[in-house]
Amino acid sequence: MSTTRPLVSVAVPLYNESAGIAAFHGELHAAIKQATDNSFEIIYCDDGSLDTTATIVRDICASDRHTKLLKLSRNFGKENALSAAIATAEGQAILMLDGDGQHPIAAIPAFIDAWKKGAQVVIGLRTDNDNEGMIKRAGSWLFYSLFNRATGQKLVPGTTDYRLIDRSVQQAFLSLPETGRITRGLIDWLGFERVFIPINRPARTTGTPSYGFRQLVGLATSSFVSLSSIPLYIFGYIGLFITSVAFLLGIAVGVEQIILGDPWHWRFTGSAMLGILILFLVGIILISQGIISLYLSHTHNQTKRRPLYIVDYRGSAGLQHEPEEV
Ligand code: UDP
Ligand code: MG
């Protein structure tokens, strides 16, 4: 392996991309080679593909010293595959993009320029998402507004996973051990000097999007659960509200009906009073659930220690054969 760091590492997660990967690689290789003056590495992380993606990338590695393959032992999901590729990257900057052609390779020089001018995080900002259905767009709007409110973070809508991070950001990113992660949420959480680059997101060239509606909802839920404890507490708050209302009602009824002898003719029946009592007790149960949740969330924050992924195979045939060359 060369002793000097490559200028840029490109991290690409791949899941069942056999149809388009060869063409994608050709285009990516040419673009990054030119943009970095031949100082780069490309890391493909095969996320347990069921097709021949890994074999194709192995073949690419055999003839291209700049390319490495990281093959996970099974499908761990894009976010973890991307983390695996980022962890392996040795460059002074790490550029991450999807392997399905949806992150335009033509924008690479703009990312590198922004970084050279001092940005530590360069983020692709989607300018049009006409290719996405109404439901996906509405879902993404809902996610961003709820997420920002619940976590106090500011995720900018339209930001993509097409990003370049400085090595210093990579080191900080790798110190975050949590599972159920969403890469862009974590990078946003880290802060650093940020610059946005507008990109046009074309439709997928080959294959099918592996993030269906269910996976997207799953991703949104797990980001919520990992970055916010509000869903846990919310029933505690509801309980507090119900109990307070029932308490006030109970006092009002007691005073008006029993002590004063019903001067305003509220005529509360016995079952209405029973209803108020039940409400009061339900509220107390919910509050106690909220308290349990406090402890649960504390534990939950302490237990995110599982490794994010398991690497099955790591290497670059080219590098093994010609270890000393740059
Ligand atoms: N991907 C992955 N593991 C998965 C699903 C997807 O590594 O379980 C990769 C996929 O090959 C692509 C990128 O992540 O390079 C984005 O996936 P996709 O196009 O399915 O997502 P979308 O464009 O809908 O965000
Ligand atoms: Mg895609």
Side-chain angles (χ1 to χ4, degrees):
M1 210 182 287
S2 69
T3 43
T4 46
R5 293 192 180 287
L7 190 68
V8 174
S9 300
V10 187
V12 187
L14 296 174
Y15 180 61
N16 296 345
E17 299 287 1
S18 61
I21 186 62
F24 173 83
H25 177 73
E27 214 183 315
L28 175 64
H29 189 275
I32 192 75
K33 181 173 178 171
Q34 195 180 17
T36 60
D37 222 357
N38 208 21
S39 175
F40 68 97
E41 62 174 355
I42 299 175
I43 299 160
Y44 288 112
C45 182
D46 176 63
D47 185 18
S49 293
L50 302 172
D51 64 4
T52 53
T53 303
T55 322
I56 298 174
V57 175
R58 253 189 226 223
D59 289 347
I60 292 174
C61 289
S63 60
D64 176 3
R65 284 180 291 111
H66 291 278
T67 306
K68 294 178 183 170
L69 166 66
L70 199 60
K71 185 175 175 301
L72 303 189
S73 59
R74 64 168 169 86
N75 181 245
F76 281 87
K78 176 193 166 171
E79 302 297 332
N80 293 328
L82 186 55
S83 287
I86 292 173
T88 306
E90 293 181 343
Q92 296 163 43
I94 295 93
L95 176 72
M96 52 198 94
L97 78 167
D98 286 358
D100 61 357
Q102 284 198 284
H103 291 162
I105 288 171
I108 289 180
F111 277 80
I112 296 177
D113 267 2
W115 168 62
K116 283 185 174 162
K117 284 187 188 136
Q120 289 161 295
V121 178
V122 188
I123 302 172
L125 195 64
R126 209 158 60 200
T127 49
D128 94 273
N129 54 0
D130 288 349
N131 304 308
E132 292 186 343
M134 274 282 287
I135 295 185
K136 207 166 171 181
R137 260 185 286 173
S140 116
W141 176 85
L142 187 72
F143 171 74
Y144 280 109
S145 46
L146 285 180
F147 186 90
N148 285 348
R149 223 160 277 180
T151 60
Q153 282 194 41
K154 280 275 159 291
L155 286 194
V156 181
T159 55
T160 60
D161 280 337
Y162 192 2
R163 290 175 180 218
L164 180 144
I165 55 175
D166 186 73
R167 191 170 167 75
S168 53
V169 182
Q170 175 208 24
Q171 297 305 312
F173 179 80
L174 295 177
S175 71
L176 305 174
E178 63 218 74
T179 49
R181 58 214 269 133
I182 173 166
T183 311
R184 57 190 125 139
L186 293 179
I187 293 179
D188 286 348
W189 180 86
L190 286 171
F192 291 97
E193 200 68 44
R194 301 196 294 172
V195 163
F196 296 92
I197 303 268
I199 56 163
N200 226 323
R201 202 174 110 127
R204 234 173 192 284
T205 40
T206 55
T208 48
S210 21
Y211 272 67
F213 185 67
R214 259 198 21 233
Q215 281 87 343
L216 284 176
V217 171
L219 190 65
T221 324
S222 71
S223 337
F224 252 106
V225 172
S226 67
L227 287 166
S228 158
S229 296
I230 289 200
L232 261 185
Y233 305 151
I234 205 147
F235 289 101
Y237 288 125
I238 294 174
L240 204 61
F241 175 75
I242 293 178
T243 296
S244 318
V245 170
F247 181 72
L248 292 177
L249 263 176
I251 299 250
V253 170
V255 170
E256 200 269 353
Q257 197 116 333
I258 298 164
I259 299 180
L260 302 179
D262 202 12
W264 299 306
H265 307 291
W266 285 359
R267 296 204 185 92
F268 263 85
T269 57
S271 46
M273 291 195 202
L274 197 64
I276 291 173
L277 186 69
I278 290 173
L279 268 185
F280 183 77
L281 294 176
V282 165
I284 290 199
I285 291 170
L286 286 177
I287 291 172
S288 69
Q289 259 190 20
I291 292 171
I292 294 171
S293 302
L294 282 175
Y295 287 91
L296 185 62
S297 90
H298 189 75
T299 321
H300 166 77
N301 284 331
Q302 305 292 326
T303 50
K304 297 168 182 164
R305 294 274 161 82
R306 199 183 292 177
L308 299 172
Y309 49 81
I310 307 291
V311 175
D312 171 28
Y313 168 87
R314 183 193 289 273
S316 152
L319 279 173
Q320 283 160 14
H321 293 308
E322 301 162 81
E324 293 313 321
E325 291 194 24
V326 180

